[in-house]
Amino acid sequence: MKQSPASVLIRLREEWEAWKLPGEGEVLGQPPRLLGAAADHLSSAKNRILALPARLVMAAPIWVNSTDPEVVQTSIALELEVRGWLPRKKTTDAVCSRKIEAGGKTLVVAAIFPAEAPAPYSGTDFARYEASPFLVEPGENGVALWREGDDLVAVFSRGTAVVYWATLDWPASPAQIRIWLEMLSLQLIATKILETAPRRIVLDPALGDLDLTGHFPGAPRENASFPPTLKNADFAWKPETTREIERKADSTRKTRQIALALAAVYLVFALAAGLHLGWLAWKSRLLQNQIAALEAATSEFQPVVREWRFIGPGAESANFPLEILHHVVRNLPASGIRLTIYDTTDGRVTIEGEAVSATLASQFFSAMTNDGDLQRMNWQMPTPALLPNNAARFQLTGALP
Amino acid sequence: MRKPTASERRLVAIFVGLIFLLLNFFVIRWYSAGRQQLSAQVTALEQTAAEYRALLTERPQWEARQQWVQAHPLETHQGREAESRFAEEIQTTLTQNGLDIDAQQLKDSALDGGLVQAQLEFSVKGRLEQVIRWLCQIQQPGNHLVVQSLTLRRIDDGDTMNARIRIGKIFRAGKVAQTP
């Protein structure tokens, strides 16, 4: 998809200006175009970039004696805290760092942003935000000077990377500016942020009358209108209000996703429950149809089935009390057991008797349970009671199937 | 219209949530009851179907029983007269087998599905052999007599038994003549 060209709002010279950057697919090398005053050229929030004035963003170049990312991260956090630059709430949301490795060390250029975008764009939506020093090209190993309203901005580079910037917010004379620049250079060289004194000086044409002759010997002086460029920009910072809005939107999106997931689970359960009920109803109808068919198939002998419940006990000799007694008696040993009670009531058979010993009673019980004709009755015998003469009184119970 | 505040929105959400929960409660209750009812119905129908299938597999047996019932028809029950005749028959057989009747009582008839069961309860005393001979005599297939309960108790060290018996006879229900 073709990306729309981005527009950069930057305060160069006196006013906020709107610049149009070349979009994707456009002719390579086409320079950014000045649209005019920012107030007249506010493009869509999706495409516009706000360049924060340099005076609002503090530059903090710090050397860390390691290249291990974890060590660098921890060292920077500690260093910022010691210097009192860590923003409120102890978060690093407002600190964006760029790292340059050199000789086993890491030069971290921390940019400490304000909490919010400056007026008149505080509360206005922008797609991306960046400090103005990172949106211009200061030139390789040079110093760039331009005005942002009443502020004079000096940006120093190491190679092509921006490593430091400072602003002068009072009307200084050229001599004072020279001293200021020299002082900054010496400080940066002393702390090894810069390897050498700036080798080139890039000036905004609006500073045409500024005479830096005699300073930075051998450094040529160039003029540039500082058109915005995205080469050094990483857009890592956002105002707190934007972050808050994004957090809320993220939270709302997550809540919505959870609600949708719950609704989906609810619907799945409801569907499963409905299907289960439907399946039961279908099974019930199927069984009813089967029963109707089976009923028709068995209708001719259904009256006999009903009557046999009453007639059967008087017709089937297997359940006759006499027949059962016959099977019981044939399991009695030749001597040693005498039956005292034989009772058949409501399909339950009870036999009581006395045996000369508990062992004989148990043998009788064992013979009963192994009898092919009596096995169906599930015989039970509690432990026989021993009588004073060592005889045993026993009771057997069985149930007709 | 005024945009609702956060607390108003929260209140509406809580209210809607409560309504949703309440609806769910009733729906779940309805579903649970319906499911329970349908499950019980399916279980009962499965059992009935299994019984019918078992009947079908036993078809030859039931046809034989039907033929047997036709070959040994039940007497028709014509009120008290049939029951008295049944009691007299039992008394006669007991006397024939030398058993002494201690007590007897004609119980109320039970009626079920076009059949009537006359019931007689009595106690007799006699030797075990006599009791068994009597039982052999009366309980023959085709007599439609059912020994509902039998308690044989030895009353001394000898062979004398006390038998308490409840016996029933199956009749086919007939129309009882009524006085106008």
Side-chain angles (χ1 to χ4, degrees):
Chain A
M1 199 174 76
K2 189 178 172 182
Q3 191 184 347
S4 315
S7 69
V8 179
L9 268 62
I10 188 164
R11 189 173 189 189
L12 285 174
R13 293 157 285 273
E14 295 302 321
E15 298 297 330
W16 284 91
E17 294 173 353
W19 288 75
K20 185 184 171 189
L21 299 177
E24 192 181 303
E26 292 186 14
V27 181
L28 276 175
Q30 190 178 355
R33 191 158 50 89
L34 177 64
L35 297 174
D40 305 330
H41 296 87
L42 264 182
S43 61
S44 157
K46 284 191 291 184
N47 298 324
R48 63 189 179 214
I49 298 166
L50 181 68
L52 271 81
R55 70 188 300 252
L56 298 176
V57 186
M58 192 185 290
I62 299 163
W63 275 108
V64 177
N65 199 16
S66 172
T67 53
D68 183 349
E70 273 188 41
V71 175
V72 171
Q73 186 70 26
T74 313
S75 302
I76 289 299
L78 280 170
E79 192 71 32
L80 290 172
E81 194 173 349
V82 167
R83 295 187 191 189
W85 290 341
L86 201 64
R88 280 186 304 161
K89 298 183 193 173
K90 298 276 180 190
T91 66
T92 52
D93 286 351
V95 179
C96 303
S97 302
R98 289 163 171 81
K99 298 175 183 70
I100 304 162
E101 288 183 16
K105 293 180 179 180
T106 306
L107 173 62
V108 180
V109 182
I112 300 151
F113 283 79
E116 295 295 338
Y121 298 113
S122 170
T124 308
D125 268 354
F126 283 86
R128 290 174 286 179
Y129 300 83
E130 188 53 282
S132 63
F134 292 116
L135 287 171
V136 296
E137 262 189 294
E140 196 172 342
N141 290 315
V143 57
L145 287 160
W146 73 86
R147 279 205 176 276
E148 286 182 353
D150 294 333
D151 297 339
L152 179 65
V153 181
V155 176
F156 292 86
S157 61
R158 179 188 173 107
T160 55
V162 173
V163 289
Y164 190 74
W165 62 92
T167 57
L168 199 61
D169 60 353
W170 51 277
S173 66
Q176 288 170 324
I177 292 171
R178 281 197 297 273
I179 293 165
W180 176 62
L181 281 176
E182 199 166 329
M183 199 178 69
L184 287 175
S185 305
L186 284 172
Q187 187 188 348
L188 292 172
I189 292 164
T191 51
K192 299 199 177 355
I193 306 300
L194 292 181
E195 289 175 298
T196 58
R199 289 177 188 160
R200 55 198 295 193
I201 303 161
V202 186
L203 288 174
D204 181 2
L207 299 171
D209 58 342
L210 184 62
D211 183 13
L212 297 174
T213 314
H215 292 276
F216 309 123
R221 177 183 154 154
E222 299 165 22
N223 282 335
S225 57
F226 298 110
T229 171
L230 305 184
K231 276 181 192 167
N232 292 320
D234 66 4
F235 304 110
W237 178 82
K238 282 177 185 171
E240 189 55 38
T241 46
T242 306
R243 284 181 196 276
E244 188 58 33
I245 289 166
E246 283 180 357
R247 271 196 293 272
K248 275 185 183 167
D250 198 39
S251 167
T252 307
R253 192 169 55 248
K254 277 181 186 165
T255 309
R256 200 166 290 164
Q257 280 173 348
I258 291 169
L260 275 174
L262 285 175
V265 169
Y266 179 84
L267 281 176
V268 166
F269 270 103
L271 191 68
L275 284 174
H276 183 61
L277 271 191
W279 177 73
L280 280 175
W282 172 79
K283 198 173 175 186
S284 171
R285 275 199 301 277
L286 191 74
L287 281 167
Q288 280 169 351
N289 292 341
Q290 282 179 2
I291 286 169
L294 286 167
E295 209 169 21
T298 57
S299 62
E300 56 186 294
F301 52 87
Q302 277 293 337
V304 184
V305 173
R306 279 194 296 274
E307 288 180 358
W308 199 256
R309 279 188 292 139
F310 302 98
I311 298 171
E316 290 174 338
S317 60
N319 293 340
F320 284 3
L322 203 54
E323 196 69 22
I324 295 165
L325 181 62
H326 165 67
H327 295 313
V328 171
V329 169
R330 76 180 176 194
N331 285 297
L332 281 171
S335 63
I337 287 183
R338 103 189 160 104
L339 302 181
T340 54
I341 292 175
Y342 173 74
D343 176 74
T344 62
T345 306
D346 299 330
R348 190 172 179 80
V349 181
T350 307
I351 297 161
E352 288 181 19
E354 287 173 7
V356 292
S357 68
T359 310
L360 197 60
S362 297
Q363 284 170 353
F364 173 53
F365 171 68
S366 179
M368 292 267 290
T369 51
N370 290 323
D371 187 302
D373 292 315
L374 295 174
Q375 271 176 341
R376 64 195 172 104
M377 291 174 68
N378 187 26
W379 290 95
Q380 304 286 328
M381 184 179 81
T383 310
L386 289 174
L387 300 174
N389 58 354
N390 285 334
R393 183 175 292 143
F394 62 87
Q395 185 190 56
L396 284 92
T397 53
L400 286 169
Chain B
M1 205 175 86
R2 183 175 67 84
K3 206 176 171 186
T5 62
S7 55
E8 284 171 339
R9 280 201 301 271
R10 202 175 303 128
L11 201 65
V12 167
I14 290 170
F15 180 71
V16 170
L18 281 175
I19 296 284
F20 179 73
L21 283 177
L22 202 67
L23 277 175
N24 269 274
F25 170 73
F26 285 114
V27 167
I28 288 170
R29 210 167 65 156
W30 168 82
Y31 167 77
S32 184
R35 184 183 163 280
Q36 207 170 0
Q37 190 185 349
L38 272 174
S39 292
Q41 192 181 348
V42 165
T43 307
L45 287 170
E46 278 174 342
Q47 201 175 345
T48 310
E51 283 169 11
Y52 275 119
R53 281 193 203 97
L55 277 183
L56 267 184
T57 55
E58 292 169 353
R59 188 185 190 104
Q61 196 178 348
W62 287 109
E63 282 172 350
R65 282 170 177 166
Q66 193 170 24
Q67 285 170 8
W68 186 89
V69 171
Q70 282 164 0
H72 301 86
L74 295 162
E75 287 178 37
T76 307
H77 185 264
Q78 299 287 2
R80 280 285 177 192
E81 190 188 326
E83 290 171 24
S84 303
R85 202 165 53 243
F86 158 60
E88 282 167 15
E89 280 172 20
I90 295 296
Q91 283 168 11
T92 308
T93 53
L94 285 168
T95 311
Q96 282 171 356
N97 286 283
L99 291 164
D100 301 328
I101 304 169
D102 285 346
Q104 65 172 337
Q105 188 183 6
L106 203 56
K107 297 274 185 182
D108 289 338
S109 304
L111 186 70
D112 198 315
L115 300 179
V116 178
Q117 189 173 42
Q119 297 177 95
L120 183 67
E121 193 171 288
F122 54 91
S123 298
V124 292
K125 198 185 286 178
R127 286 182 293 112
L128 180 62
E129 184 193 342
Q130 289 169 321
V131 176
I132 286 172
R133 277 185 191 285
W134 171 75
L135 272 172
C136 277
Q137 184 186 344
I138 61 148
Q139 202 173 22
Q140 292 295 326
N143 283 356
H144 301 300
L145 284 170
V146 179
V147 178
Q148 292 169 339
S149 79
L150 165 70
T151 308
L152 282 172
R153 189 182 293 270
R154 194 189 290 264
I155 54 174
D156 53 28
D157 284 344
D159 199 18
T160 309
M161 308 294 287
N162 189 339
R164 186 171 180 78
I165 303 163
R166 192 169 74 235
I167 197 162
K169 180 162 176 128
I170 314 293
F171 293 92
R172 192 167 294 286
K175 283 184 181 174
V176 180
Q178 289 180 343
T179 50

